[in-house]
Amino acid sequence: MSLDLRERILDVPNFPSEGIVFKDVMPLLADREYLMETIRLLADWARPREPDLILGAEARGFIFGGALAYELEIGFIAARKPGKLPRETVEATYALEYGTDSLQIHRDAVSPGARVIVLDDVLATGGTAKAKVDLVEQLGGVVAGALFVIELTFLSGRNRLEGYDVHSLIQY
Ligand code: AMP
């Protein structure tokens, strides 16, 4: 029996700002059946792509990414906001609605040729995911896929990831 993951994702209108409908995955994470089903579905897609590493960004990307890496018996690497990582980093900058933001990973996080799946809870405009793709490629890694629990299709984030293998478990 498969579960409908939508049953544990809450819509929170006007968070964090007016006009945004925030997809709250905390109820899904808190429910063991739904959490296990989510990780199982992510792993089913990821496994045949033979990743060596999962790359997730803070904060929900760490939760899903850590669990997925464990399920796949591979490693997890973290992309973080500038100033959080203690050793030498590389950086990618991406556009926000107003201004820009950046993500960093340790320079030694990806070996040349390593296959990396970039993961996040939500694909919205695709800026964050594209920055993670850039980080992997700056270090000579291969992007084995871009994987999301939720895709907000009306924001067309997939267009930013053209040429990559993109998958989401649920679409709105
Ligand atoms: P984007 O770079 O526009 O694709 O935004 C993706 C990032 O912002 C992800 O890390 C998401 O967790 C977060 N995000 C964007 N929109 C939403 C939303 N409506 N609900 C929850 N998280 C969101």
Side-chain angles (χ1 to χ4, degrees):
M1 184 198 71
S2 73
L3 301 171
D4 182 357
L5 303 184
R6 285 180 180 75
E7 291 171 0
R8 293 293 182 279
I9 296 167
L10 295 180
D11 280 0
V12 184
N14 301 315
F15 183 89
S17 53
E18 199 65 28
I20 304 289
V21 180
F22 190 84
K23 297 292 182 192
D24 178 15
V25 295
M26 293 303 162
L28 182 144
L29 289 169
D31 186 314
R32 63 184 293 277
E33 295 289 347
Y34 284 77
L35 177 58
M36 287 193 297
E37 175 79 351
T38 301
I39 301 305
R40 206 159 32 232
L41 291 169
L42 293 172
D44 286 347
W45 188 83
R47 200 173 285 110
R49 286 159 178 85
E50 301 186 339
D52 301 304
L53 293 164
I54 300 296
L55 170 60
E58 54 195 285
R60 282 157 287 156
F62 292 171
I63 305 169
F64 288 106
L68 176 59
Y70 185 85
E71 175 74 16
L72 294 171
E73 300 181 35
I74 61 174
F76 174 81
I77 53 176
R80 302 212 62 185
K81 295 286 168 61
K84 297 283 190 185
L85 290 169
R87 293 181 292 105
E88 195 187 343
T89 58
V90 294
E91 182 167 309
T93 298
Y94 55 100
L96 298 172
E97 198 175 355
Y98 299 101
T100 61
D101 213 342
S102 299
L103 285 174
Q104 300 181 331
I105 53 173
H106 277 139
R107 184 173 285 283
D108 62 3
V110 179
S111 307
R115 294 177 59 77
V116 182
I117 287 185
V118 302
L119 174 85
D120 209 346
D121 63 335
V122 176
L123 172 61
T125 67
T128 311
K130 184 61 172 46
K132 281 184 279 182
V133 163
D134 289 347
L135 291 172
V136 171
E137 293 183 344
Q138 277 185 54
L139 296 177
V142 176
V143 176
L147 180 55
F148 306 90
V149 179
I150 298 166
E151 178 176 1
L152 305 179
T153 56
F154 54 91
L155 293 174
S156 306
R158 254 173 209 267
N159 296 346
R160 302 272 278 276
L161 299 171
E162 217 182 310
Y164 295 95
D165 199 358
V166 180
H167 182 67
S168 55
L169 301 185
I170 318 169
Q171 299 78 35
Y172 290 93

